[in-house]
Amino acid sequence: MRFAVSPMWEAGTSFRLLRSGSAHPVHRRWAEQVRPRVAAAGLDRGWLAELVPPSGYVPDFLNPAPAGSAPTLAEELDRILAAPVSRIRHDLDRLRREQGSLGPRARSLYAEPKARLLRVAEEIASYWELALAPYWARIRAVLDTDVFHRSRQVAEQGTGSLFNALHPSVSWDDNTLRLGRRPQTLSRKTAGAGLVLIPSAFTGPGLFTRVTLPEPPQLAYPARGVGALWEPRPVAGTDALTAVLGRSRTRLLTELETPASTTELAHRTGLSPAGVSQHLTALRAAGLVSAHRVGRSVLYARTSAAESLLAAACPQGSASRSGLA
């Protein structure tokens, strides 16, 4: 048994959430920012829209078993591109049975899997860049914290304690892992060896499984702390940080509580666009800011290093700006 943080699980479950059109109580602010970008890029009516329905089955080839504890999106896309033709067609046959039919893109993928799969991977990369990459430092921190907590739980209290606290539908009894409300029985004869546990920020209250021989079964579950994922972070009391970075660069870091473009930052801060661009270049070179192209503009976001720097500089209980408002 092992834990893994999987970018593809976050991509699929977050896209499904956006497609549902619901005002999710936790992810509403994120969805309000991202949904217009997805629509503007045409991703709401592209390959993913046909392969990731609002509910029901998602083709297994989109979620290969993560290699290692924290593969990159590029590594997982390589695994998707290496999927056997038989696997792709098998999964699309199941999708057709569950939905009643396949969309035109899915039908072309069935006819020419290797030629079309590259288009699917390119669209996933585009979706990642505009919907998840600007927020990944924050999401990844929640997932890593979950893994740390549960790994320690296993070490201190044993595997049974982990499973009995993982999700209401999961239990460990008499050396048997039981998954409630699963339509099909799971046994060692139908599942590969081992088990991969994947914390997710976007699964919602449910539990997702992937069982595809010969790979180990995957169990994606809601990560602890997701409820506070988009809560505002403290940024007041940054005098010490200002003494190191300067007032303008510190201000830009605090403003990047929400990913923003150069123009937006200039409007918020009163700095000139040229000045903002110069400061962002320096912050990016220092590893404190990342840049993500969205259509014709570029969104800047704080990195995990910047989050740690701000947390260290800001005293507990200090005031905070509004978050993803």
Side-chain angles (χ1 to χ4, degrees), residues 177-309:
L177 177 63
R178 304 184 187 278
L179 303 178
R181 300 191 293 274
R182 194 175 190 279
Q184 297 178 342
T185 301
L186 250 174
S187 70
R188 266 302 154 217
K189 293 181 180 179
T190 58
L195 177 65
V196 184
L197 297 173
I198 301 175
S200 174
F202 294 97
T203 57
L207 198 70
F208 291 87
T209 57
R210 177 191 185 271
V211 183
T212 305
L213 288 170
E215 295 181 344
Q218 299 178 49
L219 192 62
Y221 62 89
R224 299 173 77 253
V226 169
L229 179 58
W230 307 120
E231 286 185 358
R233 308 294 173 86
V235 296
T238 55
D239 291 346
L241 193 57
T242 298
V244 177
L245 296 180
R247 186 173 301 279
S248 295
R249 292 175 185 177
T250 301
R251 175 73 187 279
L252 289 172
L253 280 186
T254 61
E255 288 292 339
L256 285 175
E257 172 76 18
T258 302
S261 66
T262 300
T263 302
E264 290 171 327
L265 289 169
H267 177 72
R268 291 184 201 171
T269 62
L271 298 171
S272 69
V276 170
S277 179
Q278 182 180 7
H279 290 310
L280 289 174
T281 298
L283 291 170
R284 188 179 181 188
L288 299 177
V289 164
S290 57
H292 310 274
R293 178 161 292 282
V294 178
R296 295 181 179 180
S297 63
V298 175
L299 285 181
Y300 292 89
R302 293 198 304 232
T303 64
S304 56
E307 296 282 359
S308 299
L309 194 62

Side-chain angles (χ1 to χ4, degrees), residues 65-78:
S69 60
T72 64
L73 177 69
E75 290 171 335
E76 294 205 304
L77 289 178
D78 285 343

Side-chain angles (χ1 to χ4, degrees), residues 35-293:
R35 191 174 280 122
R37 298 180 204 157
V38 170
L43 300 182
D44 59 337
R45 51 192 182 275
W47 294 90
L48 283 175
E50 293 189 14
L51 295 175
V52 182
S55 62
Y57 175 70
V58 174
D60 289 328
F61 69 81
L62 291 176
N63 290 107
S69 60
T72 64
L73 177 69
E75 290 171 335
E76 294 205 304
L77 289 178
D78 285 343
R79 298 287 303 279
I80 291 174
L81 291 171
V85 169
S86 58
R87 172 83 267 158
I88 297 169
R89 287 177 171 157
H90 174 275
D91 293 350
L92 292 176
D93 280 335
R94 179 177 171 183
L95 186 64
R96 179 191 291 112
R97 290 195 300 270
E98 294 207 5
Q99 292 190 331
S101 63
L102 294 176
R105 290 179 178 81
R107 291 197 299 270
S108 69
L109 177 61
Y110 191 97
E112 300 178 277
K114 289 303 180 183
R116 303 300 182 186
L117 198 57
L118 182 59
R119 299 285 301 277
V120 176
E122 290 173 346
E123 185 169 298
I124 292 171
S126 296
Y127 172 75
W128 175 269
E129 191 66 14
L130 67 85
L132 292 174
Y135 311 94
W136 186 238
R138 177 174 287 208
I139 296 169
R140 178 66 189 273
V142 170
L143 303 182
D144 286 345
T145 299
D146 179 274
V147 171
F148 177 80
H149 169 82
R150 298 190 192 278
S151 298
R152 185 171 180 176
Q153 186 178 24
V154 172
E156 294 180 351
Q157 303 173 34
T159 304
S161 175
L162 164 72
F163 285 125
N164 288 326
L166 190 67
H167 190 270
S169 66
V170 177
S171 63
W172 178 263
D173 180 49
D174 192 25
N175 208 34
T176 301
L177 177 63
R178 304 184 187 278
L179 303 178
R181 300 191 293 274
R182 194 175 190 279
Q184 297 178 342
T185 301
L186 250 174
S187 70
R188 266 302 154 217
K189 293 181 180 179
T190 58
L195 177 65
V196 184
L197 297 173
I198 301 175
S200 174
F202 294 97
T203 57
L207 198 70
F208 291 87
T209 57
R210 177 191 185 271
V211 183
T212 305
L213 288 170
E215 295 181 344
Q218 299 178 49
L219 192 62
Y221 62 89
R224 299 173 77 253
V226 169
L229 179 58
W230 307 120
E231 286 185 358
R233 308 294 173 86
V235 296
T238 55
D239 291 346
L241 193 57
T242 298
V244 177
L245 296 180
R247 186 173 301 279
S248 295
R249 292 175 185 177
T250 301
R251 175 73 187 279
L252 289 172
L253 280 186
T254 61
E255 288 292 339
L256 285 175
E257 172 76 18
T258 302
S261 66
T262 300
T263 302
E264 290 171 327
L265 289 169
H267 177 72
R268 291 184 201 171
T269 62
L271 298 171
S272 69
V276 170
S277 179
Q278 182 180 7
H279 290 310
L280 289 174
T281 298
L283 291 170
R284 188 179 181 188
L288 299 177
V289 164
S290 57
H292 310 274
R293 178 161 292 282

Side-chain angles (χ1 to χ4, degrees), residues 8-59:
M8 270 310 303
W9 272 103
E10 298 309 283
T13 52
S14 65
F15 187 82
R16 166 171 280 183
L17 185 151
L18 290 176
R19 286 209 66 197
S20 70
S22 62
H24 194 280
V26 172
H27 301 297
R28 176 182 57 81
R29 293 175 178 174
W30 169 84
E32 287 175 350
Q33 287 191 18
V34 170
R35 191 174 280 122
R37 298 180 204 157
V38 170
L43 300 182
D44 59 337
R45 51 192 182 275
W47 294 90
L48 283 175
E50 293 189 14
L51 295 175
V52 182
S55 62
Y57 175 70
V58 174

